Amino acid sequence: MTRRLLPTTVVGSYPKPKWLNHLIGEYAKGKISDEIMEQAYQDSIKAVVKEHELAGVDILWDGEMRREEMTSYFAEHIDGFEIYGDVRVWGNNYYKKPAIVSRVGYRDELTIPEYSSLRTITTNEIKVPITGAYTIVDWSFNEFYPRKEDAVYALAEVINEDLRGLVKAGAGYIQIDDPAIPTHPDEIEIAKNSLEIATKGINAYLGIHICYGDYSKIYPEVLEFPVDQLDFELANKNFKDIEIFKEYEFTKDIGFGCLDVHTRRIESVEEIKTNIRKAFQLVEPEKIYVDPDCGLKLLPQGIAFEKLRNMCQAARELREELV
Ligand SMILES: [Zn+2]
């Protein structure tokens, strides 16, 4: 597929509107019907998509309004998982940790309803993110499979089944979110095998998003992954990781994380342009995708929007300079 130069896109979750968080709380208490909750999700997605279009994002997703968390959301829809109570991860943040308690199997469609619903409200290109099998297993308890890799490979088959349906539904760009990979570099072979299984027969443009890890531990091995694009968080570490990637020829497209999502500071258009230019040290402009480091969900919505808008303006200006 031919795209415009330096296409802009999003990663992870966008801040949920306050009213949606309120309704999710009320729904959990049984005070709101399924019908109203569903309408709220649909309306919030329309609002987020409109906001991203206004910011100028080329390749859209729905802000993950329906996803509470990137592991349990999927585990809840896959056979073989049970969700345990809240586990503290950092600071005062908790997440519902899933456990594999029996053989995993494909039950519900995972990404297909989200994709099909989004397709009806935007004409832009869509990128569909799904959490990778390696990360889901790494962030879950495994109480069934003798070895971790058995669980990872079984889950990769489930993901493959969903991706097949997703491509049939029309999706052309899929991103596997696998941030756990750098935390166990000794298991990179397992991660790679899981990606081979998950992407087998999938005729789409494929990316992998890996954030907040020590990339020196997984590079150049990640170049062997069966994907078209490697998407990295770079702004948070002030683009120092580029030096790591320069040691070997960067043979994939790059998703160039150029907004630090951990600061409320709004990067200026000029600053972002300067930073995107750093990607030219690695690959031709045709191989660069411009995006934030990760999800903007912990930022106030107005700041998230302004960051995105500046990022898209920076990409537009650079694009004009390049042609
Ligand atoms: Zn991320």
Side-chain angles (χ1 to χ4, degrees):
M1 176 189 269
T2 346
R3 292 194 178 89
R4 61 172 54 164
L5 268 180
L6 305 176
T8 53
T9 185
V10 281
V11 186
S13 305
Y14 198 64
K16 287 189 173 75
K18 286 198 174 85
W19 57 265
L20 181 66
N21 280 327
H22 174 72
L23 290 176
I24 290 170
E26 296 296 283
Y27 181 69
K29 290 183 220 154
K31 291 185 177 170
I32 283 176
S33 69
D34 290 352
E35 193 191 350
I36 289 179
M37 195 63 236
E38 176 55 29
Q39 187 67 51
Y41 279 126
Q42 287 183 20
D43 288 351
S44 64
I45 288 167
K46 281 182 193 154
V48 165
V49 166
K50 188 71 200 172
E51 193 164 311
H52 288 180
E53 286 176 350
L54 281 173
V57 178
D58 299 310
I59 304 169
L60 293 171
W61 184 233
D62 68 2
E64 305 190 346
M65 292 298 108
R66 293 173 188 275
R67 303 185 188 182
E68 189 192 339
E69 197 276 326
M70 65 183 289
T71 311
S72 56
Y73 175 80
F74 293 106
E76 279 169 5
H77 293 276
I78 298 170
D79 274 342
F81 279 93
E82 253 179 48
I83 309 293
Y84 290 166
D86 288 344
V87 173
R88 192 169 177 163
V89 274
W90 48 272
N92 282 320
N93 289 278
Y94 292 81
Y95 86 107
K96 292 191 285 180
K97 188 160 179 173
I100 302 169
V101 296
S102 61
R103 188 175 302 282
V104 300
Y106 192 62
R107 186 180 69 228
D108 304 336
E109 292 183 329
L110 302 171
T111 55
I112 301 159
E114 290 171 304
Y115 168 77
S116 302
S117 161
L118 180 58
R119 188 68 288 170
T120 65
I121 58 171
T122 182
T123 53
N124 280 34
E125 190 182 350
I126 291 173
K127 170 173 81 174
V128 184
I130 184 167
T131 307
Y134 182 80
T135 293
I136 293 179
V137 170
D138 193 60
W139 291 356
S140 301
F141 299 110
N142 170 23
E143 298 173 358
F144 177 76
Y145 290 94
R147 300 178 307 170
K148 182 178 183 179
E149 55 261 49
D150 299 330
V152 173
Y153 300 156
L155 191 56
E157 297 280 3
V158 171
I159 288 173
N160 181 255
E161 194 164 342
D162 197 66
L163 297 188
R164 282 171 191 266
L166 187 60
V167 171
K168 257 194 210 137
Y173 182 173
I174 297 161
Q175 175 177 285
I176 295 170
D177 293 332
D178 241 334
I181 292 176
T183 56
H184 309 282
D186 53 315
E187 293 179 350
I188 196 158
E189 213 42 44
I190 298 174
K192 181 180 156 217
N193 294 340
S194 81
L195 293 165
E196 302 274 3
I197 296 167
T199 61
K200 202 165 115 212
I202 302 303
N203 184 19
Y205 180 82
L206 297 167
I208 185 166
H209 169 68
I210 303 175
C211 53
Y212 304 106
D214 182 349
Y215 297 138
S216 71
K217 297 255 171 29
I218 58 166
Y219 193 84
E221 289 79 3
V222 278
L223 294 172
E224 302 298 318
F225 284 4
V227 293
D228 303 290
Q229 182 201 102
L230 302 173
D231 182 65
F232 293 125
E233 144 269 323
L234 295 156
N236 184 252
K237 294 199 285 282
N238 202 19
F239 304 90
K240 289 198 187 88
D241 290 323
I242 288 175
E243 296 307 314
I244 296 167
F245 303 139
K246 275 159 74 175
E247 284 176 32
Y248 298 87
E249 186 192 353
F250 200 98
T251 51
K252 304 278 191 194
D253 295 353
I254 188 165
F256 196 75
C258 63
L259 289 183
D260 187 352
V261 303
H262 287 172
T263 169
R264 293 185 176 201
R265 189 176 70 82
I266 296 160
E267 295 92 338
S268 72
V269 174
E270 275 314 311
E271 177 186 351
I272 300 169
K273 280 169 74 177
T274 303
N275 289 330
I276 296 172
R277 284 195 189 97
K278 293 176 182 164
F280 301 162
Q281 300 170 36
L282 295 174
V283 292
E284 298 294 309
E286 289 76 12
K287 295 169 78 71
I288 299 167
Y289 288 65
V290 174
D291 60 11
D293 274 1
C294 191
L296 296 155
K297 73 171 178 183
L298 296 177
L299 293 169
Q301 193 179 349
I303 291 179
F305 173 70
E306 284 191 52
K307 276 174 172 265
L308 270 187
R309 191 177 52 187
N310 282 0
M311 179 190 88
C312 295
Q313 179 64 24
R316 255 194 311 271
E317 289 181 16
L318 274 177
R319 198 177 291 151
E320 278 164 24
E321 289 170 21
L322 285 165
V323 290

